[in-house]
Amino acid sequence: MYKVAVIVGSARPTSSNLKLAKALEKLAAGKLSFQYLRIDNLPFYDEALWDNPPEVVVQLKRDIAAADAVLFVTPEYNRSIPGVLKNALDWPSRPYGEGVWSHKPAAIAGATGGASGTAAAQAHLRSILPMMGLALMGAPEIYFQSRPGAFDENGEITDERVRTNLTIWVDRFSDWIARFATPATEVAARKAS
Ligand code: FNR
């Protein structure tokens, strides 16, 4: 089973993006195991902090390096990604030459109450991730409109058609990871060279 590091771009406990991630986790049961990485406790990026890097930063890098893939589930803030998410992208990309994003299979999803379903935020994220070397799945996409009643009391997505599409999405992401996941032996060889 592939280990997926999940990064949610919203810190609030009632986040609709966290709910969407949890719904995807249920649909992926038996195929993917989700590990939720905390990003709201990271300091703002500061190059000087690498002299004595904060443990939360070191741990985030370790967790990403240990994952087979990364899933970003993000809200849209003012037609882009939230600052907390951008900060969490920047830390693991450094120090130069020691980033942990490179070659990591990845996918994006997003939820908002708005009709655009975070399309603008996702477009920005799509311009960032490949530049950092992630192997980003282009399609299918998830633009989730989080209307009242979109999730039931168990966190299940109420719209059956949407649930079916998300099940297909999970299968495609699993296939994507199988195609691009770096075997542990190769990672070790890269580190040694
Ligand atoms: C928003 N929201 C929002 N929604 C959207 O579809 N497009 C946008 O540009 C914005 N801009 C925006 C800016 C700021 C500062 C906030 C706080 C919110 C609404 C936002 O998508 C909505 O609150 C989501 O529910 C937030 O995600 P979580 O916290 O529910 O995961």
Side-chain angles (χ1 to χ4, degrees), residues 53-148:
E55 180 53 30
V56 283
V57 170
V58 174
Q59 188 60 49
L60 179 68
K61 287 188 73 175
R62 223 181 268 139
D63 289 341
I64 292 164
D68 295 308
V70 187
L71 169 61
F72 299 92
V73 188
T74 186
E76 179 171 297
Y77 281 5
N78 297 314
R79 296 289 178 260
S80 188
I81 58 172
V84 69
L85 176 56
K86 183 62 169 63
N87 191 46
L89 297 177
D90 293 336
W91 273 117
S93 72
R94 294 281 155 156
Y96 186 77
E98 295 171 38
V100 289
W101 293 123
S102 212
H103 304 288
K104 208 56 84 177
I108 298 175
T112 172
S116 74
T118 71
Q122 291 193 39
H124 281 188
L125 193 50
R126 277 181 200 287
S127 74
I128 298 167
L129 300 182
M131 174 271 160
M132 295 195 304
L134 288 96
L136 181 62
M137 183 171 81
E141 299 163 297
I142 299 179
Y143 299 115
F144 189 81
Q145 192 176 8
S146 182
R147 291 202 188 94

Side-chain angles (χ1 to χ4, degrees), residues 143-185:
Y143 299 115
F144 189 81
Q145 192 176 8
S146 182
R147 291 202 188 94
F151 300 94
D152 69 15
E153 61 283 1
N154 300 316
E156 307 278 358
I157 289 167
T158 50
D159 187 324
E160 202 180 320
R161 201 173 50 93
V162 173
R163 235 178 20 245
T164 303
N165 285 338
L166 293 184
T167 305
I168 293 167
W169 185 93
V170 162
D171 287 343
R172 295 280 292 276
F173 187 34
S174 301
D175 293 347
W176 184 263
I177 298 169
R179 222 172 127 195
F180 292 104
T182 310
T185 46

